[in-house]
Amino acid sequence: VGHVVSLIKCGKVASVTGFLDAAAVLRQSVHSQPSRYGYQMYAIVHTDCQHHAPLLQRMGYTPLVRDSPVLVQDIKDGWYKDHV
């Protein structure tokens, strides 16, 4: 069973700290539940935040460092572009 978290913005220290705390709690929660199935923890990490990948790996996650799949300037005008 795969469990995934994503770190896409890391400009505010407090937000990153909260994210890392939540990721640690999730990992511990998954790890502490008995199951007949194995599990894997994944962290999708934006390239701007890749300096956090080693910590996530030490926490038991497999970090997947990736750039944005779509550039904001490539999105046509409209609701979605205004809310990304």
Side-chain angles (χ1 to χ4, degrees):
V1 177
H3 301 276
V4 181
V5 297
S6 61
L7 179 58
I8 57 172
K9 293 183 180 181
C10 55
K12 296 179 181 178
V13 173
S15 294
V16 173
T17 301
F19 166 81
L20 294 172
D21 288 347
V25 169
L26 174 63
R27 200 261 182 214
Q28 180 58 34
S29 176
V30 169
H31 183 71
S32 66
Q33 296 301 313
S35 175
R36 62 179 160 168
Y37 302 105
Y39 69 91
Q40 181 65 47
M41 306 298 291
Y42 293 97
I44 300 171
V45 181
H46 192 273
T47 52
D48 291 343
C49 304
Q50 64 186 347
H51 55 280
H52 294 291
L55 176 58
L56 287 161
Q57 188 167 22
R58 287 193 304 272
M59 291 169 54
Y61 285 84
T62 299
L64 306 170
V65 179
R66 302 289 189 271
D67 203 359
S68 299
V70 177
L71 300 175
V72 175
Q73 59 265 27
D74 291 344
I75 301 171
K76 295 179 182 176
D77 290 334
W79 183 92
Y80 188 72
K81 185 171 187 167
D82 295 339
H83 293 86
V84 171

